[in-house]
Amino acid sequence: MPIAGQDKRMADTERHPFLHGLSKHRGAPPTVVVIFGASGDLCARKLMPAIYNLGVDGLLPADFYLLGFGRKEIPDEEFRAHTAAAIKEFSRRELTEDVWSRLKARTFYVSGGYDEPAAFDRLAARIAGLEKGIGQELQTLFYISTPPSVFAPILANLGTSGLAARYVRKPNQSKVIIEKPFGRDLPSARALNHQMTSVFEEPQVYRIDHYLGKETVQDLLVQRFANAIFEPLWNRNYVDHVQITVAEEVGVGTRAGYYEQSGCLRDMIQNHAMQLLALTAMEAPVNLSAESIRDEKVKLLKAIQPFKLEGPNADLARAQYSEGFIGGQPASGYMQEKDISPTSSTESYAALRFNINNWRWHGVPFYLRSGKRMARRVSEIAIRFKGAPGALFAGSDKFALANNTLAFQIQPDEGMSLVLNAKIPGLETRTQPVKMNFKYSTTFGSNTAEAYERLVLDAMVGDSTLFIRGDETESSWALVTPILEYWKSKGRDGLDDYPVGSWGPKNSDALLVANGHVWREP
Ligand code: BG6
């Protein structure tokens, strides 16, 4: 006997090819994504390929539209050509005529200034025109992918044009995704939050941290809370310390204009690395809802002690890369890069020691480091456990032993490893540390969705679990703002250096030495 609901879904699928493969659970309503900063780099590298790949997977709603908005005058046809070129260059899957021809027909461009109210009226009229064409309302997803200097006028105009508030009684119908940097210190983050929430309701706001879209970062929660073996050990009784590394091989490149105003603490630590810390250290949420998970992250951030800024016990180190070799090639130092101020004190590397003052973690240091132009691109979280009591295997050079270390490799080469001590095969008992390895690519294959695919889809369907809540961003800015102010007051004083292609500066070793620890080589 035919099932009524099933018949309808089949009929919809035929009418709307994008519906094919769309599960009911992940279904987004008819949507128009409006991208501010549509001719920018991020849009070309990440957003357009993400939207295209959602199309390939049949995850775009049947009535889906893409509207670019920017200052340049660009005819629709030219914007479509630009979009196709971006997909060809950056998508993980090839551009196929089948999907692209459907997406192309739904791609448009509206030009205008971000501070020009009339341009937002034109945008509103264009959206109204699309709605009229299909005879129903569209969910509008505004994606702010511009430099922060124009966040304010965009938000103001979304407010006054009625675009943000027009569905205010149905908050799921109008949403805004905002790219980093979300503020540059606590006062500016507060001001931006205030501005956002005077135009949108908090549940309509999706603050992006693309690290949360990475598969391995999401897997952290699964590993921690879907396996019974970790939780009993996940505390001060068994964990000696934790090291979180987010190392990059790339340098500042052509981004000096942005990076000089930012530096590593703002660019990588306040957001990406501290998110990894929060997910590693937080308590189990009561359920998997966005609010429960974010409540736990905020609680954890609030338990972090203020940093000791100076003295022999300081919790911080910063440095700039100096000339060296990477991949056998000579590479210039930070100060020699294009457009860097001759007096620049911007750090390309930062390391911090976090002390978390709660029952679980009291006395367990969490070390975080991130830098550009380091030995290799690798992001990992390493939990180093305390040593086994030495009663049996000690006191002889036959017993080489290491502390157990569980490492989550976030990227590249996604996986997990566990260092254990094992007997070396042979007629006498000798021991050696060995490594158990799990690789995602071996088990699950390697062509997985990119972070932005997951994040754009989540925003479309209204799941904010992987986005940062307003109080969360303020809590992390509250922690790092004193450091920013302190470093600013010091200029280049105390700024160390590290050769390109190395694992970082000497002054960051000092953070660990006090506790008898050393940085591991990931
Ligand atoms: C961005 C930073 O947020 O993250 C960049 O602005 C950095 O400076 C990038 O290179 C790193 O992201 P990923 O995904 O390549 O590790």
Side-chain angles (χ1 to χ4, degrees):
M1 199 173 121
I3 304 166
Q6 222 173 43
D7 282 346
K8 181 173 179 306
R9 203 165 63 230
M10 282 171 63
D12 278 353
T13 310
E14 278 153 25
R15 208 156 44 88
H16 302 300
F18 276 133
L19 262 184
H20 177 70
L22 181 69
S23 82
K24 211 170 168 208
H25 175 63
R26 301 295 284 161
T31 299
V32 53
V33 173
V34 178
I35 302 182
F36 297 107
S39 49
D41 199 47
L42 183 91
C43 184
R45 283 174 184 277
K46 299 290 179 190
L47 302 188
M48 287 160 172
I51 289 170
Y52 170 76
N53 278 292
L54 290 174
V56 173
D57 288 330
L59 291 169
L60 294 177
D63 287 306
F64 175 85
Y65 297 92
L66 177 64
L67 261 182
F69 183 104
R71 277 181 286 230
K72 273 193 214 153
E73 284 270 351
I74 306 177
D76 286 342
E77 265 318 312
E78 198 180 308
F79 183 62
R80 289 172 182 153
H82 167 76
T83 306
I87 297 167
K88 272 190 194 140
E89 187 171 354
F90 299 113
S91 163
R92 70 187 166 95
R93 290 186 292 209
E94 278 190 7
L95 184 88
T96 65
E97 208 33 52
D98 170 38
V99 178
W100 172 239
S101 58
R102 281 180 272 140
L103 190 55
K104 181 178 162 184
R106 294 144 183 270
T107 298
F108 305 96
Y109 187 84
V110 174
S111 67
Y114 299 123
D115 53 359
E116 188 196 333
F120 285 73
D121 293 340
R122 288 201 295 281
L123 178 61
R126 195 70 178 259
I127 295 171
L130 295 175
E131 288 176 325
K132 200 162 169 229
I134 57 168
Q136 59 178 323
E137 281 181 349
L138 288 166
Q139 156 175 251
T140 45
L141 180 57
F142 299 104
Y143 199 121
I144 306 183
S145 161
T146 61
S149 54
V150 291
F151 287 176
I154 292 174
L155 287 170
N157 277 319
L158 284 176
T160 46
S161 63
L163 278 166
R166 66 191 188 126
Y167 292 119
V168 90
R169 266 164 285 136
K170 284 193 266 169
N172 287 341
Q173 291 278 27
S174 173
K175 297 169 182 157
V176 61
I177 302 185
I178 185 155
E179 271 293 338
K180 65 177 267 259
F182 197 87
R184 49 178 289 105
D185 52 18
L186 181 58
S188 55
R190 271 194 187 137
L192 186 52
N193 268 339
H194 182 259
Q195 204 184 7
M196 301 269 339
T197 48
S198 60
V199 176
F200 291 92
E201 305 282 334
E202 174 66 30
Q204 295 173 282
V205 180
Y206 292 73
R207 297 173 193 78
I208 275 218
D209 183 319
H210 78 280
Y211 266 56
L212 294 183
K214 293 185 192 277
E215 280 290 348
T216 35
V217 176
Q218 293 160 48
D219 190 42
L220 200 58
L221 287 189
V222 180
Q223 293 295 342
R224 278 196 63 194
F225 301 122
N227 294 301
I229 59 168
F230 297 132
E231 179 57 20
L233 307 180
W234 214 258
N235 56 52
R236 62 193 301 269
N237 298 324
Y238 295 96
V239 176
D240 183 58
H241 72 278
V242 176
Q243 294 189 16
I244 298 181
T245 301
V246 184
E248 295 191 276
E249 234 176 86
V250 292
V252 66
T254 53
R255 297 169 75 214
Y258 154 76
Y259 200 80
E260 277 278 272
Q261 301 306 314
S262 168
C264 182
L265 190 58
R266 287 190 175 97
D267 188 48
M268 298 296 283
I269 303 246
Q270 178 273 333
N271 38 55
H272 310 324
M274 282 176 68
Q275 282 296 318
L276 299 184
L277 169 89
L279 291 170
T280 307
M282 72 182 206
E283 298 299 313
V286 289
N287 55 39
L288 287 178
S289 75
E291 292 321 314
S292 300
I293 292 176
R294 299 191 300 180
D295 285 348
E296 293 307 331
K297 285 197 282 170
V298 170
K299 247 170 68 188
L300 188 277
L301 292 170
K302 286 187 173 159
I304 294 171
Q305 294 295 284
F307 297 96
K308 279 188 226 77
L309 300 176
E310 52 193 344
N313 248 339
D315 292 319
L316 19 136
R318 61 179 175 141
Q320 287 178 340
Y321 56 85
S322 56
E323 281 172 334
F325 288 83
I326 203 152
Q329 297 299 313
S332 44
Y334 183 81
M335 295 301 282
Q336 291 78 49
E337 300 273 30
K338 194 166 173 288
D339 298 331
I340 301 294
S341 147
T343 56
S344 172
S345 60
T346 303
E347 78 288 354
S348 63
Y349 173 101
L352 301 180
R353 181 174 54 214
F354 286 73
N355 296 299
I356 303 171
N357 197 14
N358 63 15
W359 274 61
R360 188 185 285 272
W361 295 119
H362 183 85
V364 179
F366 279 66
Y367 304 107
L368 261 72
R369 62 177 163 171
S370 178
K372 295 216 179 277
R373 282 290 195 219
M374 291 179 65
R376 107 187 142 78
R377 174 175 183 252
V378 61
S379 296
E380 66 150 40
I381 301 165
I383 322 286
R384 189 172 161 95
F385 293 90
K386 294 185 175 171
L392 296 180
F393 301 104
S396 158
D397 60 8
K398 288 195 283 188
F399 302 134
L401 297 167
N403 286 30
N404 300 125
T405 300
L406 176 67
F408 296 89
Q409 182 138 346
I410 305 296
Q411 64 182 21
D413 212 11
E414 290 78 358
M416 274 168 74
S417 67
L418 178 62
V419 172
L420 301 161
N421 297 304
K423 178 179 177 297
I424 303 171
L427 300 183
E428 62 171 349
T429 301
R430 302 176 80 87
T431 67
Q432 178 189 307
V434 294
K435 209 180 201 183
M436 260 167 60
N437 260 326
F438 156 68
K439 295 279 167 223
Y440 282 79
S441 56
T442 314
T443 305
F444 300 115
S446 53
N447 198 4
T448 47
E450 288 219 0
Y452 276 88
E453 293 171 41
R454 171 72 196 253
L455 295 173
V456 171
L457 180 63
D458 278 5
M460 276 198 299
V461 300
D463 181 349
S464 43
T465 312
L466 302 178
F467 295 85
I468 313 290
R469 208 169 58 190
D471 56 343
E472 198 178 344
T473 196
E474 289 185 21
S475 299
S476 56
W477 278 120
L479 285 162
V480 303
T481 299
I483 306 180
L484 293 166
E485 287 166 357
Y486 173 70
W487 281 349
K488 190 169 174 212
S489 75
K490 291 282 168 188
R492 289 183 60 84
D493 193 12
L495 181 70
D496 204 350
D497 55 29
Y498 59 103
V500 164
S502 69
W503 281 110
K506 289 232 166 42
N507 66 355
S508 81
D509 296 344
L511 293 183
L512 284 73
V513 167
N515 295 312
H517 300 144
V518 287
W519 288 114
R520 53 183 250 127
E521 203 167 295

